């Protein structure tokens, strides 16, 4: 079955770059969008962006040029880089797969989430 | 900018029927579908309704969804204690960007 697992530092200093990787096991990489979603403590879900298996990307405009998502199909991984972080970027970060039917549909597989704290 | 608005909280007693609304505003949404996710404490969200009213396999038929114009609703009938969770509506805008509602905390009294 399809499983996703986030990995990366749990603590990042302000102004530095947050880097996370999501490793996909089972299923196909091709034909799906691969997303990052975050959830600040006690708050709701926020879509960060996604990468198509071809490498094309789409991002939440609220994050401006700070965000970049990339795909490495040979490693079955996709990654998130968020630069110039502040305390407001403290959140649980989820990776997720988006099912497609000619159009993005729903998130059908999720990682367990990883808490990233931004603090000095 | 596309926005989905949900009430912050909802509640009901066991056996009751509760509904959670989701109102869309701002720029156009993409495929006119709304999706609903249930998030239990400490867990990743789980899909409970897709394409406005379709139920994934394994989701009890107590869960139902509907959509009319720019408003969607999730209904849970025969409320049970295990339904206590946060519920989020979601959609795609016409630029294929994901949008989530602010979430509704459902309390079973």
């Amino acid at each position: 079955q399809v499983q996703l697992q986030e990995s990366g530092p749990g603590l990042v200093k302000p102004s530095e770059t947050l880097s996370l990787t999501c490793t996909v096991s089972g299923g196909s990489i091709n034909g799906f969008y691969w997303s990052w979603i975050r959830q600040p403590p006690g708050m709701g879900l926020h879509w960060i962006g996604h990468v198509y298996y071809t490498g094309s990307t789409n991002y939440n405009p609220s994050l401006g040029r700070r965000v970049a998502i990339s795909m490495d199909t040979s490693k079955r991984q996709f990654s998130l880089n968020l630069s110039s972080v502040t305390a407001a970027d403290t959140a649980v970060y989820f990776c997720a797969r988006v099912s497609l039917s000619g159009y993005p549909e729903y998130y059908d597989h999720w990682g367990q989430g990883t808490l990233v704290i931004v603090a000095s | 900018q596309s926005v989905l608005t949900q009430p912050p909280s909802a509640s009901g007693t066991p056996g009751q029927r509760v509904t959670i609304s989701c109102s869309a505003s701002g720029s156009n949404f993409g495929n006119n579908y709304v999706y609903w996710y249930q998030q239990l404490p400490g867990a990743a969200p789980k899909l409970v309704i897709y394409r406005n009213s379709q139920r994934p396999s394994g989701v009890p038929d107590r869960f139902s969804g509907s959509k009319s114009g720019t408003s969607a609703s999730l209904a849970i009938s025969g409320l049970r204690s295990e339904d206590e969770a946060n519920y989020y509506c979601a959609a795609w805008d016409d630029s294929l960007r994901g949008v989530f509602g602010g979430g509704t905390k459902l309390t079973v009294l």
Side-chain angles (χ1 to χ4, degrees):
Chain A
Q1 71 278 21
V2 177
Q3 292 186 312
L4 286 76
Q5 179 67 58
E6 304 91 351
S7 58
L11 180 64
V12 181
K13 291 182 168 55
S15 80
E16 295 189 345
T17 295
L18 179 159
S19 296
L20 296 174
T21 296
C22 183
T23 301
V24 182
S25 57
S28 175
I29 293 290
N30 295 343
F32 295 96
Y33 284 121
W34 301 91
S35 280
W36 287 98
I37 294 153
R38 70 180 183 180
Q39 185 171 36
M43 299 181 69
L45 302 169
H46 294 273
W47 181 80
I48 296 171
H50 61 224
V51 58
Y52 194 40
Y53 75 103
T54 58
S56 64
T57 55
N58 205 345
Y59 301 127
N60 191 320
S62 70
L63 295 172
R65 294 188 172 187
R66 296 199 299 132
V67 62
I69 299 174
S70 59
M71 187 93 212
D72 188 336
T73 55
S74 65
K75 294 183 178 179
R76 298 181 62 85
Q77 293 178 336
F78 62 106
S79 298
L80 168 69
N81 282 301
L82 184 65
S83 62
S84 304
V85 297
T86 69
D89 295 309
T90 292
V92 174
Y93 286 76
F94 293 99
C95 59
R97 189 182 83 169
V98 181
S99 69
L100 289 175
S101 58
Y103 199 93
E105 292 263 13
Y106 48 83
Y107 306 95
D108 60 355
H109 293 280
W110 295 72
Q112 64 186 22
T114 187
L115 173 63
V116 179
I117 296 172
V118 178
S120 53
Chain B
Q1 184 178 350
S2 306
V3 176
L4 296 173
T5 301
Q6 300 179 234
S9 64
S11 63
T13 57
Q16 268 192 331
R17 182 178 188 270
V18 296
T19 61
I20 297 171
S21 62
C22 174
S23 177
S25 62
S27 57
N28 291 332
F29 284 84
N31 60 2
N32 289 313
Y33 289 138
V34 172
Y35 308 86
W36 290 92
Y37 296 87
Q38 174 195 64
Q39 188 180 31
L40 297 171
K46 170 193 166 187
L47 181 74
V48 293
I49 293 289
Y50 68 99
R51 291 194 174 188
N52 304 329
S53 60
Q54 303 302 302
R55 218 174 25 254
S57 61
V59 173
D61 60 6
R62 303 184 296 103
F63 289 80
S64 62
S66 64
K67 182 176 179 288
S68 178
T70 59
S71 293
S73 292
L74 172 71
I76 308 171
S77 59
L79 198 61
R80 305 176 67 162
S81 58
E82 58 259 39
D83 300 330
E84 186 162 292
N86 289 312
Y87 291 86
Y88 296 90
C89 59
W92 298 93
D93 71 12
D94 57 3
S95 296
L96 300 187
R97 297 178 187 134
V99 184
F100 286 101
T104 299
K105 180 177 175 61
L106 174 62
T107 301
V108 180
L109 302 169

